Amino acid sequence: MNLTLKMAWLNLWRRKTRSLLVILMIGVSMCVMLSIQGLYDGMTKHLIESTIRSESGEVTLYASSYRLQQKLKYHISNTKEIVDSLGKMPEVRAVTERIRVMGLLSTAHKSTMAKLIGVDRDKENAFGNFKEFIVEGEFGFGEDKRGAVIGKKLAKTLGVTVGSRVIFSSQDIDGELSSVSLRIKGVVQTTNLAIDDMALFVDPDRAESITGLRGGERIEIALRVGKDVNLMAFKSKLKAEWNTLEIYTWNELYPALEQMQVMMTIFNGITFGIVMVMVFIGILGVMFVSVLERIREFGILLAIGEPYRCLRMQVLFEALLLGAGGYIIGSISGAAALYYFQIYGLDLSAFSAGLEEFGMNSILYATIEFYYFTFTLAAIILAALLSVILPLKKIKRLHPIDVIQGE
């Protein structure tokens, strides 16, 4: 075995330039593949995390019929009691309750539909560190509670900035028209289109005065739970406790995000497959040419009694050494690239306007997963094993006497 491995190593470096080019090709391909996979997974993870932090949490509770009707009369009346009970559950990390209502947001020159959301600032910060989403001004409502925080794209649509005054008009719970004048205190950008395009955050007391809801009456209760919590099992537990409420997990509220996650997985799989085909072709080409160059040598070895299995192991070792060299270079460079993108991100500010239209950040941050490297290693080993099939068939069909005679 040691002699076979030594011969494989020496034969591999008969043509140093050719072997090095194939190893470099495998390494560069693997590095690019890992970078793309990490960036796309990071982008999807960021969008999901941003949506969970800024709005839905992992689980959201509504009054029965609210999601279908979107009317204030379908509200949760005993919110405080429910929130207190939820806070005692071991699965729950944070709870926040909100009032929300659709209406017309106007300035002196423009008006558009908007979603007013009454939130407790401290609870939102504990829920998803919401203040990190503020890009202008502050996350506050002022001492008179007439301040508001507006989504970035909504602010752009209306042409307002921090300090601008807006008027929100809507129907209250009794069907009466209600209006309030608000001054913009901050601008928020979450990459959650439901927030950035339409949201206007106000103090809960101000939201109550607009909607006519009182005390413990709220539209929704959002929960953050532990990472190891099974959401469907936890949803069933909540449903058993509050069977009059409608309970949704984040992926039920945002199926498009789950679909995006699936699409990114498919895209990464296609990219992975293309790269592995390139690796296979690269190793196959080198091994086939190498066998053709040494066909007389193989014939002589067979003629003097060298077992075919020894030649087979030699060729196989050569292919595996090529793959291993490329894997080592690719894994080191790929890990370095992923680490850089995880810390500093890939700056796509030049395309920020287009990216924001799709709720994407202009800086993409990568994620690093251990399975990137294990799957790649398994695929390279498989590619190396498959690449020697044709060369080995060529060796197995050899007739030693004919090869020695040069026929």
Side-chain angles (χ1 to χ4, degrees):
M1 183 66 72
N2 289 336
L3 179 60
T4 303
L5 182 59
K6 184 177 180 180
M7 290 180 65
W9 175 261
L10 292 174
N11 285 324
L12 189 63
W13 297 112
R14 281 184 175 185
R15 299 287 186 268
K16 293 182 180 179
T17 302
R18 184 174 64 196
S19 298
L20 286 173
L21 284 175
V22 172
I23 290 173
L24 186 62
M25 180 273 292
I26 295 172
V28 171
S29 299
M30 180 178 167
C31 178
V32 173
M33 180 190 68
L34 290 174
S35 299
I36 291 174
Q37 189 169 14
L39 284 168
Y40 275 116
D41 284 353
M43 179 187 69
T44 306
K45 183 178 178 181
H46 173 75
L47 289 174
I48 293 173
E49 182 66 18
S50 178
T51 300
I52 288 173
R53 286 175 53 201
S54 64
E55 190 169 18
S56 67
E58 283 81 10
V59 180
T60 311
L61 290 73
Y62 297 95
S64 179
S65 300
Y66 175 77
R67 288 282 298 171
L68 182 64
Q69 301 291 333
Q70 298 283 308
K71 293 182 179 180
L72 290 173
K73 67 178 182 178
Y74 301 113
H75 60 265
I76 303 173
S77 57
N78 55 337
T79 305
K80 188 177 185 307
E81 176 187 331
I82 296 173
V83 168
D84 289 342
S85 297
L86 289 169
K88 297 175 183 178
M89 290 186 170
E91 299 92 342
V92 177
R93 294 192 291 119
V95 185
T96 188
E97 63 273 14
R98 307 185 185 108
I99 296 172
R100 62 175 66 225
V101 62
M102 291 295 297
L104 186 69
L105 186 63
S106 307
T107 65
H109 306 286
K110 292 183 180 180
S111 61
T112 186
M113 294 298 295
K115 184 191 306 178
L116 183 136
I117 307 175
V119 297
D120 184 291
R121 183 179 61 178
D122 294 334
K123 287 186 177 181
E124 291 297 326
N125 282 329
F127 182 83
N129 205 8
F130 197 86
K131 61 185 178 183
E132 288 188 351
F133 295 123
I134 299 296
V135 293
E136 294 179 40
E138 61 178 1
F139 184 34
F141 307 120
E143 293 183 3
D144 60 357
K145 298 182 179 180
R146 287 188 172 272
V149 175
I150 191 171
K152 183 175 181 180
K153 192 171 180 183
L154 180 58
K156 184 178 179 180
T157 300
L158 291 175
V160 300
T161 58
V162 174
S164 300
R165 187 170 291 278
V166 295
I167 296 175
F168 182 82
S169 303
S170 179
Q171 285 187 321
D172 63 18
I173 193 171
D174 298 319
E176 299 295 329
L177 184 63
S178 177
S179 300
V180 63
S181 176
L182 302 164
R183 188 171 295 278
I184 302 300
K185 295 289 186 179
V187 178
V188 64
Q189 183 179 21
T190 65
T191 69
N192 176 1
L193 296 180
I195 298 295
D196 298 345
D197 291 5
M198 299 190 70
L200 184 71
F201 294 94
V202 298
D203 184 84
D205 293 341
R206 186 60 54 193
E208 286 183 0
S209 68
I210 297 170
T211 60
L213 297 176
R214 291 290 179 267
E217 297 176 339
R218 293 292 184 266
I219 295 298
E220 69 182 41
I221 301 172
L223 310 176
R224 296 300 310 274
V225 301
K227 292 183 179 180
D228 58 343
V229 174
N230 184 305
L231 292 184
M232 297 311 296
F234 183 59
K235 175 182 174 179
S236 298
K237 179 180 177 179
L238 294 177
K239 196 66 179 176
E241 183 73 20
W242 293 285
N243 56 15
T244 59
L245 299 180
E246 292 182 354
I247 303 169
Y248 299 90
T249 59
W250 70 266
N251 50 326
E252 291 173 327
L253 291 173
Y254 298 98
L257 285 179
E258 188 175 30
Q259 186 177 18
M260 177 184 289
Q261 196 173 33
V262 173
M263 291 299 295
M264 287 302 175
T265 301
I266 295 173
F267 178 81
N268 284 333
I270 294 172
T271 305
F272 185 86
I274 292 172
V275 171
M276 286 303 106
V277 168
M278 292 173 59
V279 169
F280 166 74
I281 293 173
I283 299 176
L284 173 62
V286 169
M287 295 310 302
F288 201 77
V289 171
S290 178
V291 167
L292 290 177
E293 288 178 347
R294 292 180 286 153
I295 203 74
R296 185 177 177 83
E297 175 186 324
F298 287 129
I300 293 172
L301 289 172
L302 289 171
I304 63 176
E306 180 80 3
Y308 168 73
R309 67 175 182 276
C310 292
L311 300 181
R312 181 177 61 197
M313 290 300 297
Q314 182 180 322
V315 172
L316 181 58
F317 279 149
E318 289 179 36
L320 290 174
L321 286 170
L322 280 174
Y327 176 79
I328 291 171
I329 293 175
S331 59
I332 293 174
S333 57
L338 286 174
Y339 180 76
Y340 175 86
F341 289 134
Q342 187 180 53
I343 301 300
Y344 301 103
L346 178 63
D347 192 351
L348 299 176
S349 299
F351 310 100
S352 58
L355 291 171
E356 287 177 9
E357 290 294 325
F358 296 96
M360 295 166 58
N361 204 319
S362 60
I363 299 179
L364 301 183
Y365 292 94
T367 184
I368 304 177
E369 299 291 347
F370 182 70
Y371 74 85
Y372 295 170
F373 302 91
T374 55
F375 279 9
T376 305
L377 177 60
I380 287 178
I381 292 174
L382 179 62
L385 294 175
L386 294 176
S387 69
V388 299
I389 293 176
L390 288 177
L392 287 175
K393 283 185 176 180
K394 182 73 175 177
I395 296 173
K396 195 169 186 179
R397 289 197 297 263
L398 287 178
H399 296 288
I401 302 302
D402 294 338
V403 172
I404 293 172
Q405 292 177 346
E407 297 180 2

